């Protein structure tokens, strides 16, 4: 008998063995035994029959794959969002947001409605508004065109009541940034001078020299500074109006006040009629303090003799009274502030002398020196027409045009250039600052007719105070120490703020200490 492992293919024993294997597999399935993948073989047989795993009924994976391939467009996988599609959509949205954030701020702001833009810009400080004008042409044009609503907003919310009383608001259609900047310039000068005077009074009159003493005296010094600002603003208005009216008086009458007999200065009386009783009395009481502080600033720091001053290096004596009068009447309080801020007595006196020399002396033109040549040989003068050169140079400098004649340019280019030049150089701010420089003809008329230092303000103001019966006797006018105690007293601050600034004035109309460091008009 053949060995069991040798079986002839297609023999009877081959089919018996195949049948036995099939029966043993069905027996294992009926007993609930664990099925195994692949063929089930006898342990004694090493033969491996290529019989696959039994397929479940109705399961045709090949047909399913064909159906999915044939109907791929209708699969739920293409309709429902997958994780990769969600991530891609999130990245796309973040990219779009980044593109939106990368848009420049000025383009986003300029895309807003005009009313909203003006409302946002008007709420900024005046110095920031003037700086925005320098950013670009579009910003400059937008603020220049809409300066009326911006100026009206600042006049309503940031200008104190006493400034509006002295400088009445013009016609609403004529309100411009020039009017607004002029008031802020005067407020800046008044605030800065009040701080400088308080520093001098604290140190030299109240004798608060050490740091501890100054800290203890700081509340009184702050009250004095706040009370001096409206009074110095009124003094600024007095000198500014006096200079203008004095020039007009000389032009009208053909001579000055020196040839006109009077008891009360008519120009000063006309100016003081603009002030109410309370303002006139307060300013009259403080005026000697302002004049004495300015005179003390231009004197040598030491009161001793010439020998000690020479040792200390103070070589120049105090200026004459005409210098103080010229500085206050011609230059105004702004010129007083400029002199005050110069450190060092010699430097300060040098600046005063140079300014006085420029006012009193006419500028001399230097004669052109003849050209010298070698052995009588000189350079040949150009035959070009000087008038033509002057015209072309004037066009280039004043018009700020490009090189070449305008005939070579296109008409659109010329029109755009002229429009931009008119927009920049014909704005309201081109009119200049308050108390600007006088012409040489005006100086010739005004300088010989200036009053003395003792005749400015005091005689006319005291006569008007008694004439209006603001006080009954001259002794009732507070002077010197009484004025200083009135400035530092603690009570009455609320009533004074209501009088100077108005009842519903915000804190912005009361300039803080740090506001004196910047002047928007300069």
């Amino acid at each position: 008998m053949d060995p069991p492992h040798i079986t002839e293919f297609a023999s009877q024993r081959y089919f018996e063995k195949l049948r036995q294997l099939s029966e043993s597999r069905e027996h294992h399935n009926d007993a609930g035994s664990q099925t195994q993948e692949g063929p089930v073989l006898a342990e004694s047989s090493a033969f491996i029959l290529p019989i696959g795993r039994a397929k479940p009924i109705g399961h045709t994976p090949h047909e399913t794959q064909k159906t999915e391939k044939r109907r791929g467009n209708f699969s739920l996988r293409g309709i429902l969002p997958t994780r990769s599609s969600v991530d891609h959509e999130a990245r796309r949205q973040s990219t779009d947001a980044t593109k939106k954030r990368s848009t420049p701020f000025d383009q986003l702001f300029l895309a807003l409605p005009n009313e909203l833009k003006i409302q946002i810009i008007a709420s900024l400080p005046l110095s920031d508004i003037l700086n925005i004008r320098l950013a670009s042409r579009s910003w400059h044009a937008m603020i220049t065109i809409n300066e009326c609503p911006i100026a009206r907003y600042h006049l309503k919310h940031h200008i104190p009541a006493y400034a509006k009383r002295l400088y009445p608001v013009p016609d609403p259609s004529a309100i411009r940034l020039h009017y607004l900047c002029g008031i802020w310039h005067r407020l800046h000068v008044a605030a800065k001078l009040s701080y400088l005077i308080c520093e001098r009074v604290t140190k030299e009159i109240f004798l608060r020299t050490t740091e501890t003493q100054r800290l203890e005296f700081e509340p009184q010094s702050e009250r004095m500074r706040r009370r001096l600002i409206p009074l110095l603003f009124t003094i600024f208005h007095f000198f500014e109006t006096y200079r203008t009216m004095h020039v007009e008086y000389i032009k009208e009458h053909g001579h000055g006040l020196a040839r006109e007999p009077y008891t009360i200065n008519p120009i000063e009386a006309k100016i003081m009629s603009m002030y109410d009783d309370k303002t006139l009395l307060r300013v009259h009481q403080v005026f000697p303090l302002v004049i004495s502080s300015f005179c003390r600033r231009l004197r040598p720091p030491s009161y001793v003799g010439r020998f000690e001053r020479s040792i200390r290096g103070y070589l120049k004596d105090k200026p004459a009274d005409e210098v103080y009068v010229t500085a206050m009447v011609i230059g105004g309080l702004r010129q007083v502030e400029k002199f005050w801020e110069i450190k060092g007595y010699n430097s300060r006196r040098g600046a005063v002398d140079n300014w006085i020399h420029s006012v009193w002396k006419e500028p001399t033109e230097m004669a052109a020196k003849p050209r010298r040549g070698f052995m009588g040989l000189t350079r040949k003068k150009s035959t070009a027409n000087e008038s033509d050169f002057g015209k072309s140079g004037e066009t280039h400098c004043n018009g700020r045009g490009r090189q070449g004649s305008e005939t070579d340019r296109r008409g659109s280019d010329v029109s755009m250039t002229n429009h931009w030049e008119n927009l920049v150089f014909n704005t309201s701010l081109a009119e200049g600052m308050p108390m600007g420089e006088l012409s040489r003809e005006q100086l010739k008329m005004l300088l010989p007719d200036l009053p003395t230092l003792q005749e400015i303000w005091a005689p006319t103001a005291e006569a008007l105070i008694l004439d209006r019966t603001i006080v009954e006797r001259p002794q009732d006018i507070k002077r010197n120490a009484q004025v200083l105690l009135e400035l530092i007293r603690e009570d009455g601050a609320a009533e004074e703020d209501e009088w100077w600034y108005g009842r519903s004035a915000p804190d912005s109309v009361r300039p803080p200490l740090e506001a004196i460091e910047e002047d928007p008009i300069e």
Side-chain angles (χ1 to χ4, degrees):
M1 187 175 179
D2 296 334
H5 62 277
I6 300 176
T7 303
E8 185 179 359
F9 180 75
S11 63
Q12 187 177 0
R13 295 186 59 185
Y14 174 81
F15 287 105
E16 288 179 359
K17 182 174 282 265
L18 182 61
R19 183 176 54 78
Q20 291 177 1
L21 290 174
S22 299
E23 289 177 356
S24 63
R25 184 183 62 186
E26 291 176 0
H27 176 71
H28 285 295
N29 290 337
D30 293 339
S33 61
Q34 188 176 5
T35 60
Q36 299 179 359
E37 294 184 0
V40 180
L41 303 177
E43 295 181 357
S44 60
S45 175
F47 180 77
I48 298 177
L49 186 67
I51 298 177
R53 184 179 53 184
K55 298 178 182 180
I57 300 175
H59 181 70
T60 55
H62 184 65
E63 294 180 0
T64 304
Q65 292 179 2
K66 286 185 178 180
T67 305
E68 290 181 357
K69 289 181 181 179
R70 185 170 58 252
R71 300 182 180 182
N73 295 332
F74 298 95
S75 176
L76 292 178
R77 295 179 182 178
I79 299 176
L80 297 178
T82 60
R83 183 178 182 84
S84 60
S85 63
V86 172
D87 295 341
H88 177 70
E89 183 68 19
R91 286 195 299 270
R92 187 183 63 81
Q93 293 179 358
S94 63
T95 305
D96 295 342
T98 305
K99 291 182 180 179
K100 292 182 180 179
R101 287 195 299 267
S102 63
T103 306
F105 170 75
D106 57 346
Q107 296 181 7
L108 295 175
F109 183 82
L110 294 176
L112 296 175
N114 188 58
E115 294 79 5
L116 186 57
K117 290 188 292 186
I118 298 306
Q119 187 176 1
I120 294 173
I121 293 176
S123 61
L124 297 175
L126 182 59
S127 58
D128 294 342
I129 295 176
L130 297 181
N131 290 333
I132 289 175
R133 294 170 66 253
L134 308 177
S136 63
R137 294 187 177 185
S138 58
W139 286 91
H140 187 282
M142 180 180 60
I143 295 177
T144 303
I145 294 173
N146 300 280
E147 61 179 343
C148 288
I150 295 175
R152 283 198 297 266
Y153 179 87
H154 276 261
L155 286 175
K156 182 179 179 180
H157 295 86
H158 302 299
I159 300 300
Y162 63 86
K164 298 177 183 179
R165 288 196 295 264
L166 295 178
Y167 298 92
V169 180
D171 183 53
S173 61
I175 297 177
R176 294 290 186 269
L177 287 177
H178 179 264
Y179 170 77
L180 182 64
C181 291
I183 292 182
W184 272 113
H185 171 76
R186 300 176 182 100
L187 288 172
H188 167 82
V189 173
K192 192 61 177 289
L193 276 178
S194 66
Y195 171 77
L196 297 174
I197 292 175
C198 289
E199 289 291 314
R200 180 247 169 184
V201 170
T202 302
K203 181 179 179 181
E204 298 184 4
I205 298 180
F206 288 101
L207 301 178
R208 300 300 196 272
T209 55
T210 63
E211 188 66 24
T212 305
Q213 293 174 346
R214 293 172 68 88
L215 290 177
E216 294 177 354
F217 194 73
E218 187 174 0
Q220 292 84 349
S221 177
E222 178 64 20
R223 288 194 292 269
M224 178 168 51
R225 186 189 69 86
R226 289 173 60 94
R227 285 172 172 144
L228 279 175
I229 291 176
L231 304 177
L232 288 169
F233 186 88
T234 307
I235 296 176
F236 191 108
H237 172 267
F238 170 77
F239 283 117
E240 180 182 9
T241 313
Y242 181 87
R243 191 183 75 168
T244 303
M245 297 179 65
H246 201 164
V247 173
E248 294 176 355
Y249 183 89
I250 296 175
K251 289 181 179 180
E252 181 181 356
H253 295 82
H255 57 81
L257 295 175
R259 299 182 182 179
E260 187 76 20
Y262 62 85
T263 305
I264 298 178
N265 191 318
I267 300 177
E268 293 182 352
K270 188 175 181 179
I271 298 173
M272 293 177 187
S273 63
M274 305 177 187
Y275 308 147
D276 57 90
D277 296 346
K278 188 175 181 180
T279 302
L280 182 61
L281 179 61
R282 293 285 185 87
V283 175
H284 179 64
Q285 292 173 351
V286 172
F287 194 84
L289 175 64
V290 178
I291 299 300
S292 62
S293 300
F294 177 52
C295 295
R296 180 67 187 91
R297 184 65 175 173
L298 296 186
R299 285 201 300 262
S302 177
Y303 284 100
V304 297
R306 184 183 298 273
F307 179 72
E308 183 175 348
R309 290 203 302 269
S310 62
I311 293 178
R312 294 178 179 270
Y314 308 138
L315 302 180
K316 295 183 179 181
D317 295 331
K318 66 176 184 178
D321 291 346
E322 292 79 6
V323 175
Y324 302 109
V325 176
T326 306
M328 290 184 291
V329 176
I330 304 298
L333 291 190
R334 175 55 179 159
Q335 192 62 46
V336 172
E337 179 199 345
K338 287 182 178 180
F339 291 151
W340 200 309
E341 290 180 326
I342 299 176
K343 296 182 179 181
Y345 174 72
N346 293 331
S347 301
R348 190 160 52 248
R349 284 290 286 112
V352 172
D353 294 342
N354 294 335
W355 185 81
I356 290 295
H357 184 270
S358 65
V359 171
W360 281 92
K361 303 295 183 180
E362 294 186 4
T364 59
E365 297 182 359
M366 298 295 295
K369 296 182 179 181
R371 294 183 177 180
R372 297 180 180 180
F374 178 72
M375 298 179 63
L377 299 176
T378 58
R379 295 179 60 184
K380 186 178 180 180
K381 188 176 181 180
S382 176
T383 58
N385 192 354
E386 294 182 358
S387 60
D388 297 340
F389 177 76
K391 292 180 181 179
S392 62
E394 184 180 357
T395 302
H396 179 75
C397 296
N398 298 335
R400 286 175 171 81
R402 304 179 216 167
Q403 294 181 356
S405 61
E406 292 188 355
T407 57
D408 297 336
R409 304 184 202 169
R410 293 179 297 178
S412 60
D413 191 9
V414 175
S415 61
M416 289 297 294
T417 304
N418 295 334
H419 174 71
W420 171 240
E421 290 174 358
N422 295 333
L423 189 61
V424 173
F425 300 105
N426 295 335
T427 59
S428 62
L429 293 179
E431 299 178 10
M433 61 193 305
M435 291 201 75
E437 295 183 0
L438 295 176
S439 62
R440 182 55 54 181
E441 291 76 12
Q442 293 174 339
L443 289 175
K444 288 181 179 180
M445 292 187 300
L446 194 57
L447 287 175
D449 200 50
L450 292 179
T452 61
L453 185 61
Q454 292 76 19
E455 295 176 353
I456 297 179
W457 178 277
T460 306
E462 190 161 343
L464 291 178
I465 288 173
L466 296 176
D467 184 58
R468 295 188 195 177
T469 63
I470 301 175
V471 295
E472 296 180 358
R473 303 174 303 168
Q475 293 81 0
D476 296 336
I477 300 175
K478 297 179 181 180
R479 308 179 190 274
N480 302 332
Q482 296 177 346
V483 175
L484 294 177
L485 294 177
E486 182 73 14
L487 290 174
I488 66 174
R489 67 185 178 92
E490 186 174 0
D491 57 332
E495 293 79 4
E496 291 179 358
D497 285 352
E498 181 179 347
W499 167 253
W500 290 117
Y501 300 100
R503 293 185 178 180
S504 60
D507 294 335
S508 60
V509 302
R510 302 173 178 86
L513 185 60
E514 58 271 11
I516 65 178
E517 298 298 333
E518 58 180 34
D519 187 0
I521 204 172
E522 293 186 352

